[in-house]
Amino acid sequence: MPDPMRSRSPIRVAIIGGGCAAMTTAFELSRPEHRGRFEVTVYQMGFRLGGKGASGRGVADRIEEHGLHLWMGFYDNAFALMRECYAELERDPQRCPISTWQQAFEPAPDVAVVDRSPRGEWAPWVAHFPPGRGLPGDPPTSRAPFSVRGYLVQAAGLVVELLRSAKLHPPGAAAQPLEPRPLLDAAGVIEAVTRLLRLGVLAAPTGLLEGVELLSRALQTLGPLPLPGETVLWPLLEQISAASRRNLTRLVDDQPDLQRVWQVIDLVLTIMRGILAHNLAADPRGFDAINDYDWIEWLRRHGATEQSLRSGFVRGIYDLVFAYQDGDTSRPRLAAGVALRGSLRMFFTYRGALFWRMNAGMGDVVFAPLYEICKRRGVRFEFFHRLREVEVVKSARRQLPHVASLVFDIQAKLHAPEYEPLVNVRGLPCWPAQADYDQLEAGPRLRDEGWQFESALESRVAGQRTLDLGRDFDMVVLGIGVAAIPHCCKQLLDHSPRWRRMCEHGETAATQAFQLWLREDMAQLGWPHPQINLSGFVEPFDTWADMRHLIPREGWKREVRSIAYFVSVLPDTASPGTASDQVRRNAIDFLNLDIGALWPNAIAAPGQFRWEVLACEGHDPDREPEGEARFDTQFWLANVNPTDRYSLSVPGSIQHRISPLDLDFDNLTVAGDWTATGLDSGCVESAVMSGLLAAHALSQYPPLETIVGYDHP
C-alpha cells in the first residue's frame, strides 16, 4: 500500500538564514516523522552557518567567535535540540573528540560580578552555584512547571538562605539550628503572622528570619494570592522589607560581602512586592503586564534601595543581554517583564549548572552537528546567497498577500554543484574562519581582492538569482536579523502596518568582542579565583570569561596557558567602516588602563599592559611584534552588520513583536530571537523557541505544549 504522506508532492520550504532559529526550523521540518512531507533548502549569506553564533578556526586552529557565548541551565529547548542532534549523529568516539552532548558542554558554576569599593577599587564577588536538579533538556517534571506562586515560594526560600548566610546571630554567639516548624493550615498561618506582627519582633535578627520563614509558608498555604491590604501577608512582607533595608543601610564600608548579601535580599523582596502589587498571578498577560516599565524603574517603584540598584547584580543583568539603547551604557533599557521572567528562570529553574560553556567553538559544537544531521536528512544548503528583495503580491485568489519571488545576490560561483563548508580539526568537524576559495570560481582572484562575504559593506557580486513561487518554493521562513529586514524586505513592510511597527520598535545594538591567548596562566596574571564568567565590570568591556578549557581544542605549537574572551556593547557612534579600528583601540586602552583590576600581574607599570605576555603563533620568535603592535596578533570583532546586531527588549517594544504563528502573509513565517516566543530576549533559547514555533506554523509539529516555557506567565 502506498504511503499517503509520500504520495503527495513535497512542500518546498525556503529558509533564509542559518542562525539558531533558522536551523531549528530546518531540523524540525526534516524530521523522519514527516516522511518527506517537506523539501527544505537553506539559503545562507557567505560560507558558514551560525548567525550571531557563528565561529571559525583561524591561525593555529584557534577558535574565533562572534562574541562570548555561554548557555544557561534553563535553556531546556536548546539543550533538548542538541541532545537529540548528538544522539542521531552517532559520532565515533574513537575518531571524534566530541561525540556526545555532554562532551560538547560542561558546567560553568562559578560566576562573578564586580563592584567598586568605597575607595574606588574594583572588587569581584565570586559565587559558586550548586548543581540544579536534573540536566537541561530533561522533560519537565510537570505539565506546567512555572507559576507565579511557585516563584514567590522559591524567592522566600532564597531570602531564608541568604539571611542564614548573613550570620544574624549576635557577635560571638554560635548560630543555633532552626527548629522544624509544624505545618499550619491557612487559618494557622494567618494567626501566626498576626501574632508576629503584634509582637513587633521583626527588627530583631531572629524575628526577621522567623518572619521570612512564615512568609514562605503563607505563600504555600493561602488560596489565591491576595492583593495589598487584603490579608496580613502584605504587612508582613512590608515589615520584612523595611527591616532588611535598615540592615543594609547600617552596614559599614569594610563589610562588602555582607553588603552584597543584603543587596540581593533587598532585590528579591522588592521583586516579591512588585509581583503582588501588580497582581501578576491573576493578570492574563502575566509578566508582560509590566513590559512598559524599565527593569530599574520598576524595581525603584517598588522600594529597592539606590545602593541595590547600582550594584553589580543589576548591572550584570543588563550586561548579560546588552540592554543599552543605541549601545550607550549610560542608557540602560530593559523591559521589566522580560527581565523578571528571565531572572526567575535563570536562578530558580536552572538544571545541572547555572551556566554551561562549550568545549569548542559554537560553530563546532552547535552548527556543525546541526548542518550534518540536516544534510543527512536531505536538507539542501545554498551558500553565498545574500537576500536582496522579497517580492510580495496580493491577488484575488488569496485572502492575504503572499511572497511571489525571492531575489538573491550570488556572492560567488562554485566549481562543484555544492559547497563543502567544514574542515577537520583533529577529528572534529569545524567551520573555517575564511571561505575555501579553492571551491570558488576565480577563487584566487577573489581572495587577492579581499572579498568580504559576510560584510554588509561588500557590494561586489558574481550574479543574481530569482526564486519563483510554485517552481522553486511554496513556503518561506524568514530567519534573518530584524535589523536587516528594512534593507531587503521593503515590500513586506509596504504591505503590513504590523511589520512596519515591529521594525520601528525592534531595537538592536552593535557589540564588540576580543579574544586573547596568553603565555601565563590566570594565577600568574594575578587572578586568584576559579575559572570564571564575570560581568558588571568597567566599560568598554564589562564582561569577561576565562576560557582556558579550550587550549587542548586548538593547535598551538608554542605554549599557551590561558585564553580570555571579552565582550560588551558598541556605541552606534561607530561608523561601519571604522568600527573595527575603534574596537581595536578600545581593547588596547582597556588592557592598559583597566585589566589590572582583575589581573594585577599583567601590568608592567600604571597604564602599561605587559604586551609580551600575548602569544604570537605564526611569527618568527626573533621578529615578533612588540608593544601594542602585539595586539594585532590576537582577534577582535565589531558586530555592526544588520544581521550581527543583538536583539534588544526595550520597554514598550515587546507588544510589537511578531510571532511565527501570526499570519500576515499567506506563505511566510518568521524565525529569530527578535520574534514573540514567550521568552522575548536575545538569546539562544529564545531563538530555538522561535524555530520550534516556525516549524509548528508550517507542520503543526512540535505540539505547542511541548515547547518549554512557551506558556510561561
Side-chain angles (χ1 to χ4, degrees), residues 23-57:
M23 288 304 297
T24 299
T25 309
F27 183 91
E28 291 296 324
L29 294 180
S30 62
R31 282 182 174 279
E33 295 94 319
H34 288 307
R35 300 180 185 178
R37 181 184 172 197
F38 299 97
E39 183 181 283
V40 179
T41 305
V42 175
Y43 296 89
Q44 172 63 40
M45 178 178 70
F47 58 93
R48 58 181 164 182
L49 303 175
K52 294 189 288 292
S55 70
R57 294 298 187 124

Side-chain angles (χ1 to χ4, degrees), residues 534-688:
L534 176 147
S535 200
F537 193 40
V538 67
E539 307 304 335
F541 292 98
D542 50 44
T543 301
W544 159 54
D546 178 347
M547 305 295 280
R548 67 182 79 170
H549 65 289
L550 296 179
I551 296 173
R553 300 295 181 202
E554 300 180 340
W556 297 95
K557 295 178 181 178
R558 282 182 273 170
E559 190 173 33
V560 168
R561 304 191 66 180
S562 57
I563 302 175
Y565 289 10
F566 296 87
V567 71
S568 188
V569 292
L570 178 65
D572 280 344
T573 52
S575 67
T578 62
S580 179
D581 291 338
Q582 180 171 336
V583 174
R584 177 185 181 276
R585 187 69 254 165
N586 288 346
I588 289 173
D589 291 345
F590 172 82
L591 292 174
N592 278 327
L593 301 175
D594 300 311
I595 197 61
L598 302 177
W599 309 344
N601 298 340
I603 301 300
Q608 184 181 341
F609 182 71
R610 289 174 53 219
W611 297 104
E612 67 274 12
V613 80
L614 298 180
C616 296
E617 190 76 7
H619 289 78
D620 183 339
D622 297 326
R623 302 179 63 183
E624 289 182 350
E626 297 181 355
E628 292 181 358
R630 201 175 183 88
F631 180 81
D632 294 338
T633 66
Q634 309 300 293
F635 179 74
W636 69 95
L637 200 61
N639 297 310
V640 295
N641 291 319
T643 53
D644 292 334
R645 294 173 65 91
Y646 194 89
S647 301
L648 300 182
S649 303
V650 299
S653 70
I654 306 304
Q655 60 183 309
H656 299 290
R657 289 190 172 212
I658 290 175
S659 167
L661 303 179
D662 291 340
L663 193 61
D664 294 282
F665 297 92
D666 188 69
N667 61 339
L668 175 129
T669 186
V670 293
D673 60 11
W674 50 270
T675 65
T677 64
L679 188 59
D680 299 335
S681 59
C683 64
V684 169
E685 179 73 351
S686 197
V688 170

Side-chain angles (χ1 to χ4, degrees), residues 251-271:
L251 290 172
V252 295
D253 291 337
D254 62 354
Q255 298 174 290
D257 287 348
L258 201 53
Q259 285 179 332
R260 286 160 169 163
V261 169
W262 283 104
Q263 286 169 1
V264 175
I265 292 172
D266 179 47
L267 292 170
V268 173
L269 292 172
T270 299
I271 289 170

Side-chain angles (χ1 to χ4, degrees), residues 419-478:
Y419 182 73
E420 298 296 334
L422 300 179
V423 295
N424 186 294
V425 178
R426 288 180 295 285
L428 183 66
C430 300
W431 301 89
Q434 299 293 330
D436 183 356
Y437 290 94
D438 292 338
Q439 297 187 51
L440 309 182
E441 291 186 5
R445 175 177 62 82
L446 301 183
R447 178 173 48 225
D448 293 343
E449 293 177 358
W451 285 42
Q452 301 296 318
F453 299 115
E454 296 176 324
S455 172
L457 298 177
E458 179 60 79
S459 59
R460 293 169 290 187
V461 298
Q464 197 171 89
R465 180 183 181 186
T466 299
L467 307 181
D468 292 320
L469 175 65
R471 184 189 68 188
D472 303 300
F473 68 90
D474 301 302
M475 305 294 296
V476 178
V477 178
L478 188 65

